[in-house]
Amino acid sequence: MKKALLGATLGALALGLAAAPNEAKADEIGACLITKTDINPFFVKMKEGASAKAKELGINLSTYAGKIDGDHETQVQAIESCIASGAKGILLTASDTKAIVPVVKKARDAGLIVIALDTPLEPIDAADATFATDNFKAGELIGQWAAAKLGDKAADAKIALLDLTPSAPSVDVLRDQGFMKGFGIDIKDPNKIGDEDDDRIVGHDVTNGNEEGGRKAMENLMQRDSEINVVYTINEPAAAGAYEALKAFGMEEGVLIVSVDGGCPGVANVKDGVIGATSQQYPLLMASKGIEAIKAWADSGEKPKNTEGLNFYDTGVNLVTDQPANGVPSISVAEGTDRCWG
């Protein structure tokens, strides 16, 4: 299928788009996938899943991504392009889950179905549907595991929290707050990061969800307290960076790192002892379900239904570790490797 650049090559580069929209034939269903970045393995796999399902269903898929996690303006421009292209639907992992809402409304008013993947919008019903991990549960599982592994020493833990971006999108807040609840920390306002008053919290820093950000954030927090022994990370690239910072200062022994994602590199890091436990998500399922929902909307006007008792479609989560803890459900690294998404 012939590829067309958005406006011109320089214009597309200025937008920071991972790919320009395709020229759709009159009888084709057009769809857009807009992710936070095209570098994070999670979003790479999401793109692969969406592309495969779109090919299977005969949908013309255009893909876009921000330059970095937190690049809100590029995502706004991408939605505008999708509206102009005549697409039937948008799959979106929003960098700023509040600020994106007005342009999402514009898309829905234009007749597009907008489905949030992985990261719920705020409010969640600003999108037509959400396919996601239960991100609070994902955080809660790694918090419970870390507390159980420390046992009585959890009462004197020194905890570093490596979050996502200053805008604190919903996925950032949910995982952070879930971890603290699981660890036994009073989370105060569940919609806000950093308002806790527990002396065990050394501090929060942001990572932009990548390895370099994780390293810098870990270095910053080690300067506050060199006795950190628990590290929560928003995702596995940030966890890898945190480990490298700890290792550089000879502090990697005796520090529990926990994370969320469950990609194959992350599961391998659990096997190697870099990460103690991670909560595994399933982005291929999110993406394929999203494409199926756009097809159903285009064919019949039908919208997807939520998981019973929830306000989103739950694509599942499993704690992956070879050090199971009493009372905390988990799967082995071997099973996590079989189910990981690359």
Side-chain angles (χ1 to χ4, degrees):
M1 185 172 296
K2 184 181 178 182
K3 302 288 184 179
L5 290 176
L6 177 60
T9 302
L10 290 177
L13 290 173
L15 290 177
L17 303 181
N22 300 328
E23 288 182 351
K25 296 178 182 177
D27 59 345
E28 280 185 326
I29 297 171
C32 297
L33 172 69
I34 304 170
T35 56
K36 298 176 185 177
T37 74
D38 59 2
I39 298 172
N40 186 315
F42 184 87
F43 300 119
V44 171
K45 187 54 61 173
M46 185 176 281
K47 179 179 175 179
E48 290 177 10
S51 298
K53 182 59 69 172
K55 183 177 181 181
E56 176 188 329
L57 298 181
I59 290 175
N60 185 51
L61 181 68
S62 300
T63 60
Y64 305 81
K67 302 179 187 74
I68 61 170
D69 206 320
D71 182 4
H72 166 70
E73 290 304 322
T74 292
Q75 293 195 320
V76 171
Q77 293 162 0
I79 292 174
E80 296 278 8
S81 297
C82 294
I83 296 170
S85 75
K88 293 293 186 181
I90 296 171
L91 305 179
L92 172 67
T93 62
S95 286
D96 190 322
T97 47
K98 298 183 185 76
I100 202 74
V101 168
V103 73
V104 166
K105 182 180 186 301
K106 181 177 179 181
R108 294 178 70 187
D109 289 346
L112 285 76
I113 186 171
V114 179
I115 297 171
L117 301 183
D118 175 60
T119 305
L121 302 188
E122 297 178 80
I124 194 168
D125 62 3
D128 290 286
T130 300
F131 293 126
T133 303
D134 185 334
N135 282 293
F136 190 92
K137 181 179 179 182
E140 190 173 17
L141 284 169
I142 55 176
Q144 290 171 337
W145 181 86
K149 294 305 294 182
L150 286 176
D152 292 341
K153 293 181 180 178
D156 299 313
K158 297 287 188 179
I159 306 169
L161 292 109
L162 274 57
D163 296 307
L164 190 56
T165 62
S167 67
S170 58
V171 66
D172 199 8
V173 176
L174 288 166
R175 293 180 188 179
D176 176 287
Q177 302 291 280
F179 166 82
M180 288 198 289
K181 181 183 177 184
F183 200 85
I185 294 168
D186 182 359
I187 61 176
K188 305 297 183 185
D189 182 348
N191 299 310
K192 184 176 181 181
I193 287 177
D195 64 344
E196 67 280 342
D197 56 10
D198 195 302
D199 290 340
R200 292 175 291 181
I201 303 295
V202 172
H204 299 256
D205 208 334
V206 296
T207 66
N208 290 317
N210 61 50
E211 188 167 339
E212 178 64 13
R215 182 185 64 78
K216 289 181 178 178
M218 191 71 246
E219 289 174 351
N220 291 340
L221 292 172
M222 284 191 296
Q223 290 176 12
R224 294 192 195 179
D225 195 322
S226 62
E227 296 182 358
I228 290 169
N229 61 353
V230 177
V231 180
Y232 154 86
T233 63
I234 180 67
N235 64 10
E236 291 157 0
Y243 179 81
E244 289 304 315
L246 289 164
K247 187 176 179 180
F249 286 88
M251 293 173 57
E252 73 274 20
E253 297 296 329
V255 178
L256 287 179
I257 300 178
V258 291
S259 197
V260 180
D261 266 356
C264 294
V267 174
N269 275 343
V270 175
K271 181 178 179 180
D272 294 340
V274 172
I275 301 172
T278 192
S279 286
Q280 187 171 66
Q281 308 185 86
Y282 302 102
L284 281 170
L285 181 60
M286 296 177 200
S288 63
K289 286 288 186 184
I291 291 293
E292 288 172 355
I294 291 175
K295 179 70 161 60
W297 169 256
D299 288 348
S300 66
E302 178 186 358
K303 291 185 180 181
K305 294 180 173 60
N306 294 330
T307 299
E308 186 174 354
L310 298 174
N311 58 358
F312 65 98
Y313 185 98
D314 186 358
T315 52
V317 63
N318 285 293
L319 184 74
V320 179
T321 185
D322 274 342
Q323 303 175 56
N326 288 336
V328 187
S330 64
I331 61 176
S332 68
V333 166
E335 185 174 351
T337 300
D338 287 343
R339 300 184 67 174
C340 70
W341 37 261

